[in-house]
Amino acid sequence: EDQVTQSPEALRLQEGESSSLNCSYTVSGLRGLFWYRQDPGKGPEFLFTLYSAGEEKEKERLKATLTKKESFLHITAPKPEDSATYLCAGMTTDSWGKLQFGAGTQVVVTP
Amino acid sequence: DTGVSQDPRHKITKRGQNVTFRCDPISEHNRLYWYRQTLGQGPEFLTYFQNEAQLEKSRLLSDRFSAERPKGSFSTLEIQRTEQGDSAMYLCASSLPTGDETYNSPLHFGNGTRLTVT
């Protein structure tokens, strides 16, 4: 069964304290691995798509990487405005429209 | 780009009532998706459309749920005979069509409709 697992469930960081979030997937025929950010009461906001092992993408203080079995979201020198829930999701070869989401990592950055 | 719009933002209903939600996608997007999210979980796929055609529906979706996209623009999601277990955030998303097998147009989500069934 396709599964996406994120760890840790929650992460509390001091401002400037870099860290990484993990997304492991057991999805057969992965067509793309997506990262989203979600603020309370809002819908998920698209961050990155990764397609193949070794691929990396960056946006401001965020960098996403992909291996054959997992993806990492690195947050470098985070600021309080980076506080959010970060979701990863896989899309498989048997469905163009269906994203399999993990439960997310809730990140809180304190000043 | 006005983004994906959902209406209403909140809905409180009594068990057994029917409810309908509306989603207006980004104008040039021909794909539209419905997801459901409960507290502490990631969004769960419900169904998606390409233009007016409903291409996939989750096996977990009860027969009480129905979605339409009659003219390939806005979509409605109806839940009949609501149950307390239907309480959740209902998210709509849209995307451009995928051009080839190696590129996936990302889904852009609205801010959802929060349903509370009492």
Side-chain angles (χ1 to χ4, degrees), chain A residues 2 27-34 36 49-51 89-101, chain B residues 30-35 45-51 53-57 93-109:
Chain A
D2 293 343
V27 172
S28 56
L30 185 74
R31 193 181 288 282
L33 191 292
F34 295 75
Y36 284 83
T49 310
L50 301 166
Y51 294 102
M91 185 178 287
T92 65
T93 52
D94 67 349
S95 172
W96 287 105
K98 181 178 169 182
L99 283 177
Q100 179 81 28
F101 278 89
Chain B
N30 72 342
R31 291 190 169 199
L32 186 147
Y33 312 79
W34 286 100
Y35 282 76
F45 172 79
L46 294 178
T47 188
Y48 91 97
F49 294 82
Q50 179 157 307
N51 299 313
Q54 188 172 18
L55 297 187
E56 187 170 348
K57 190 175 176 181
S94 67
S95 75
L96 291 166
T98 297
D100 56 50
E101 292 188 355
T102 60
Y103 173 71
N104 298 298
S105 180
L107 276 63
H108 296 270
F109 285 84

Side-chain angles (χ1 to χ4, degrees), chain A residues 2-100:
Chain A
D2 293 343
Q3 202 163 12
V4 177
T5 305
Q6 293 188 245
S7 62
E9 291 184 4
L11 189 60
R12 191 172 186 90
L13 300 171
Q14 291 280 333
E15 185 171 2
E17 179 189 0
S18 301
S19 188
S20 292
L21 283 54
N22 176 265
C23 170
S24 63
Y25 58 90
T26 53
V27 172
S28 56
L30 185 74
R31 193 181 288 282
L33 191 292
F34 295 75
W35 281 98
Y36 284 83
R37 168 194 170 123
Q38 187 171 27
D39 293 304
K42 299 284 186 69
E45 175 188 347
F46 172 72
L47 293 173
F48 306 109
T49 310
L50 301 166
Y51 294 102
S52 56
E55 188 175 0
E56 297 183 351
K57 288 193 177 172
E58 287 189 65
K59 180 180 180 180
E60 297 180 353
R61 295 175 293 282
L62 301 177
K63 183 168 83 171
T65 61
L66 184 66
T67 71
K68 287 187 178 180
K69 293 186 178 181
E70 55 193 349
S71 178
F72 295 93
L73 184 67
H74 309 275
I75 311 178
T76 302
K79 298 182 177 182
E81 53 262 42
D82 295 322
S83 298
T85 295
Y86 292 87
L87 297 162
C88 75
M91 185 178 287
T92 65
T93 52
D94 67 349
S95 172
W96 287 105
K98 181 178 169 182
L99 283 177
Q100 179 81 28

